[in-house]
Amino acid sequence: MTLEYWNKAHICGLLSIRFGLTSYLEITTSTTGYRYAEASQMDFQPCMRLVYRATESPPDGLPVDFTSADDDISACLDDARLKGRTFGIVFVDPHHTYECSARDIQEAFRLVSPGGAVVVHDCLPPNRATANPSHVPGEWCGVTYKAYIDFVLGNPNLDYFTVDADYGCGVILKPAGIAAKIKNWLRARRVRALKDEWRAVGNDFDAAFDKFMADKTRLLRLADFGLLRRKLL
């Protein structure tokens, strides 16, 4: 398969192979995701999904484990089948407002196992029009990129990188063991200046996008997909 056809599901698959991650949860909406059928073929046990803003049945015809008709996912998170469970990979393709994106990333990190990975879609919007903070018809990445950067720079003891494929797939690695935590804490000391620069944009989405476009390689720790694929396989 040529690189241009690799997508968010393939990136989850590569991570599962490289790090031995065997369970999967997907958090999406009726208008995001669309790759669960591929994930379900990757032998994850369990392989589950939570769909909110669920206005219609998924086109793949596969079951939905947790569902909400609106933005509120609290009942899904309180479901006995999900409460207290963790997963090797939690994939997030949220409704791309800031509020939904920030909440979904936070909840995904809570649900991922130590040593596991949160994968966040749409972290590399190609232009300002696609990065509109409010929903627009058609191609829309919203401000998920900002919620993602806010989260990783706000928790600087985490390791993360962003794959430059399929509108940008952010990968947040949850530390496992004291050695990993110390390593990440030492790394965090080197990114304080970047955190301060990003914090200065505040909640101004226009200023945030300007800063993002000027410095996205550093902010995202952008990784070339071809090179990353060779390292992970």
Side-chain angles (χ1 to χ4, degrees):
M1 181 179 292
T2 57
L3 290 182
E4 60 265 28
Y5 291 102
W6 285 72
N7 59 50
K8 50 201 174 186
H10 298 124
I11 291 167
C12 291
L14 286 174
L15 291 168
S16 73
I17 294 169
R18 176 63 179 83
F19 298 110
L21 307 176
T22 59
S23 54
Y24 177 90
L25 174 68
E26 179 171 299
I27 301 174
T28 61
T29 76
S30 286
T31 56
T32 60
Y34 295 124
R35 297 289 181 179
Y36 183 75
E38 293 170 57
S40 69
Q41 298 298 313
M42 293 180 185
D43 297 323
F44 290 115
Q45 292 296 331
C47 184
M48 308 177 84
R49 64 175 162 179
L50 185 164
V51 179
Y52 65 98
R53 298 178 69 91
T55 56
E56 56 189 40
S57 298
D60 56 37
L62 296 173
V64 176
D65 301 279
F66 313 98
T67 186
S68 171
D70 53 27
D71 287 341
D72 185 2
I73 63 171
S74 57
C76 299
L77 298 173
D78 286 339
D79 190 298
R81 294 169 297 159
L82 191 58
K83 198 167 186 178
R85 183 191 288 272
T86 59
F87 298 83
I89 295 176
V90 181
F91 171 69
V92 179
D93 197 348
H95 185 57
H96 299 305
T97 61
Y98 185 86
E99 293 76 14
C100 286
S101 299
R103 179 206 60 198
D104 292 356
I105 294 169
Q106 180 67 48
E107 294 295 345
F109 191 75
R110 183 178 62 83
L111 288 163
V112 79
S113 307
V118 175
V119 180
V120 185
H121 192 234
D122 289 302
C123 294
L124 188 59
N127 52 54
R128 192 181 298 272
T130 60
N132 195 307
S134 299
H135 178 260
V136 294
E139 190 180 43
W140 183 54
C141 298
V143 288
T144 297
Y145 80 93
K146 186 177 187 304
Y148 168 67
I149 295 171
D150 284 350
F151 182 82
V152 294
L153 293 186
N155 296 275
N157 59 327
L158 301 178
D159 197 9
Y160 75 96
F161 59 91
T162 309
V163 186
D164 66 346
D166 197 0
Y167 291 92
C169 292
V171 178
I172 306 168
L173 302 174
K174 192 167 191 175
I178 191 64
K181 292 178 181 178
I182 291 172
K183 178 183 176 182
N184 291 345
W185 176 76
L186 291 171
R187 182 188 293 112
R189 299 178 66 183
R190 301 195 293 268
V191 300
R192 286 176 181 168
L194 181 60
K195 177 183 176 181
D196 291 342
E197 291 172 29
W198 180 250
R199 183 182 292 170
V201 305
N203 295 320
D204 185 330
F205 290 119
D206 284 331
F209 190 75
D210 289 340
K211 175 63 177 174
F212 171 75
M213 290 302 288
D215 212 3
K216 60 187 176 184
T217 299
R218 281 203 310 153
L219 286 166
L220 295 177
R221 295 185 186 169
L222 201 57
D224 175 79
F225 181 51
L227 177 62
L228 181 68
R229 177 172 172 264
R230 290 192 291 273
K231 287 184 176 181
L232 290 179
L233 285 177

